[in-house]
Amino acid sequence: MSQELDIIPGTEWGFFTLPRPMCIAGPCSAETEEQVMETARGLAAFGIHVFRAGIWKPRTHPGSFEGVGAPGLKWLQRVQKELGMKVCTEVASEKHVKESLAAGVDMVWIGARTTANPFLMQEIADALKGTDIPVLVKNPVNPDLELWVGALERLNRAGIRKLGVIHRGFSTYAPIQYRNDPGWRIAIELRTRYPKMTFFADPSHMGGDRKYLQELSQRAMDLGLEGLMLESHCDPSCAWSDAKQQLTPRDLQTLLESLVIRENTSENEAFREGIDALRARIDIIDEHLLKLLKDRNGVSHAIGQYKKEHNVAILQAIRWEQLLSDMLERGASMGLSQQVITAIMTAIHDESVRVQNEVLEG
């Protein structure tokens, strides 16, 4: 059971100015002092106030570039002093937290691999206790909403109230065009649970390629998210990590200027009347869906009873595979996405198995 979170909205952190999007930008990795300063100057020139750079970089294989480490914090101090920008970096341990705080880093974020580890999250929460620093938490690598929520709860219990999240998508074995599955459904669910939470998207890690950054950034804005974290490098072709997904400061400016920012609501009377009428129609359709699901569960119960009487196993894999295949084909003919059909039918099938199992055990 998740707990209520006591949080301060990002608009009150003193970091960002409205209108949307709040923007955090900078290189994937701090590589050299010259690279950090040149990139930061390019970003500051068009109004970016919050500079990001990876000081420690988690890598799958040893021997890869894992960041310059603590010496790079001095470069971030130069960015603060000479350009007046706020600076932030990723932390993944108590040591990272202590060194960042000692260097006067303004904000930290927690990466996807760390979010998935409750032991590390507790270690970081304990290290941050008693501070007033803003903390952003990326979603865990896998689409596990409760892991994400648990990480937020640990930080909040440690007294961190300037708390926000970064949605960067989820790892997947399925072949998709992006580096990570956007998984907007889980982001929307977290947003619904904590509507006051400051919410960033990370199109760089979601897309994995600069050609997808504009469409993913626009999608985040269309969903009403407050901010974007985007990777920017003074010369992406020479970047030591994630070169393909970084933009020059000038290209980032072009991207941000291309975004259409929509309001969360409108006071226009005609709009309100129209949207209320459409929502009423949605409510009626949803009521019908619930009734159909109730009726389906009744049939599942009868099937379970029939299987019990004839000593037949509940799970029929061949039947399920054929059913899903048929539904995907029918859904495609109606213009529905495979992802939606798969998610809905899988949830319905799981519920049917649960109902039949209750009959078997009853």
Side-chain angles (χ1 to χ4, degrees):
M1 180 70 68
S2 59
Q3 66 183 42
E4 290 296 321
L5 299 179
D6 178 18
I7 55 178
I8 298 173
T11 51
E12 298 178 20
W13 298 354
F15 281 42
F16 304 102
T17 57
L18 295 175
R20 294 186 301 136
M22 301 176 177
C23 190
I24 302 168
C28 173
S29 304
E31 301 163 357
T32 66
E33 188 169 6
E34 180 182 9
Q35 168 248 8
V36 166
M37 294 307 299
E38 183 177 348
T39 304
R41 290 190 192 100
L43 295 169
F46 68 93
I48 298 296
H49 301 295
V50 184
F51 181 79
R52 59 143 287 155
I55 299 296
W56 303 276
K57 299 298 299 180
R59 286 290 178 258
T60 301
H61 299 287
S64 304
F65 173 61
E66 295 183 318
V68 297
L73 293 170
K74 294 186 182 298
W75 309 339
L76 298 187
Q77 290 175 329
R78 272 197 68 190
V79 173
Q80 289 172 313
K81 182 177 179 181
E82 297 181 21
L83 300 174
M85 301 176 79
K86 303 288 187 181
V87 298
C88 61
T89 196
E90 178 178 346
V91 294
S93 68
E94 177 185 9
K95 178 177 180 289
H96 294 169
V97 171
K98 290 183 175 179
E99 291 182 343
S100 296
L101 292 174
V105 168
D106 298 294
M107 178 168 63
V108 296
W109 79 82
I110 295 167
R113 302 183 192 199
T114 307
T115 303
N117 188 324
F119 292 112
L120 281 177
M121 282 307 311
Q122 191 59 55
E123 177 183 310
I124 291 169
D126 292 341
L128 287 166
K129 195 169 185 177
T131 70
D132 190 38
I133 189 170
V135 181
L136 302 177
V137 182
K138 288 195 173 184
N139 61 263
V141 176
N142 297 317
D144 188 331
L145 179 62
E146 294 308 318
L147 265 181
W148 202 358
V149 170
L152 294 168
E153 290 174 341
R154 291 177 188 275
L155 291 164
N156 203 223
R157 286 186 177 188
I160 301 300
R161 297 180 63 219
K162 295 175 181 176
L163 196 57
V165 296
I166 305 171
H167 180 53
R168 47 80 80 190
F170 303 96
S171 297
T172 177
Y173 290 110
I176 59 173
Q177 60 181 321
Y178 305 125
R179 176 178 177 179
N180 289 302
D181 181 355
W184 294 111
R185 176 182 57 82
I186 292 179
I188 292 169
E189 188 172 344
L190 184 70
R191 177 74 168 195
T192 302
R193 193 178 298 192
Y194 301 114
K196 295 181 181 179
M197 182 75 67
T198 300
F199 218 119
F200 289 82
D202 178 354
S204 301
H205 283 89
M206 196 178 290
D209 192 311
R210 62 182 64 89
K211 67 184 179 182
Y212 299 126
L213 299 186
Q214 200 282 335
E215 65 181 77
L216 290 168
S217 297
Q218 185 62 61
R219 182 68 184 277
M221 293 299 96
D222 290 346
L223 289 172
L225 305 192
E226 284 84 9
L228 299 169
M229 177 182 272
L230 287 156
E231 292 188 344
S232 179
H233 191 292
C234 56
D235 187 357
S237 64
C238 298
W240 297 1
S241 59
D242 286 346
K244 194 176 180 180
Q245 68 192 37
Q246 300 191 67
L247 294 169
T248 64
R250 179 170 293 183
D251 287 342
L252 177 59
Q253 179 181 7
T254 300
L255 183 153
L256 293 174
E257 291 174 348
S258 75
L259 297 178
V260 177
I261 309 301
R262 307 181 198 283
E263 299 297 331
N264 288 328
T265 188
S266 172
E267 298 303 320
N268 180 277
E269 185 175 349
F271 167 82
R272 295 178 73 85
E273 289 178 357
I275 200 72
D276 286 346
L278 291 170
R279 286 171 175 165
R281 290 172 60 187
I282 285 284
D283 291 343
I284 292 170
I285 293 170
D286 288 345
E287 288 176 12
H288 286 312
L289 287 174
L290 288 175
K291 176 64 166 56
L292 290 171
L293 289 172
K294 178 178 178 295
D295 291 345
R296 194 184 195 282
N297 267 9
V299 176
S300 294
H301 187 278
I303 290 174
Q305 187 64 43
Y306 204 62
K307 287 179 178 177
K308 182 178 181 179
E309 292 170 0
H310 292 80
N311 197 31
V312 173
I314 291 173
L315 186 60
Q316 302 289 315
I318 296 176
R319 157 71 179 167
W320 161 237
E321 290 174 5
Q322 185 60 53
L323 175 64
L324 180 59
S325 176
D326 290 345
M327 290 298 102
L328 287 171
E329 184 176 345
R330 294 182 188 183
S333 70
M334 300 176 187
L336 298 173
S337 75
Q338 282 195 345
Q339 184 178 11
V340 169
I341 295 298
T342 301
I344 291 173
M345 292 307 301
T346 299
I348 291 174
H349 178 256
D350 289 347
E351 176 66 4
S352 179
V353 170
R354 184 193 67 79
V355 169
Q356 293 181 48
N357 192 59
E358 283 187 349
V359 174
L360 189 64
E361 294 178 348

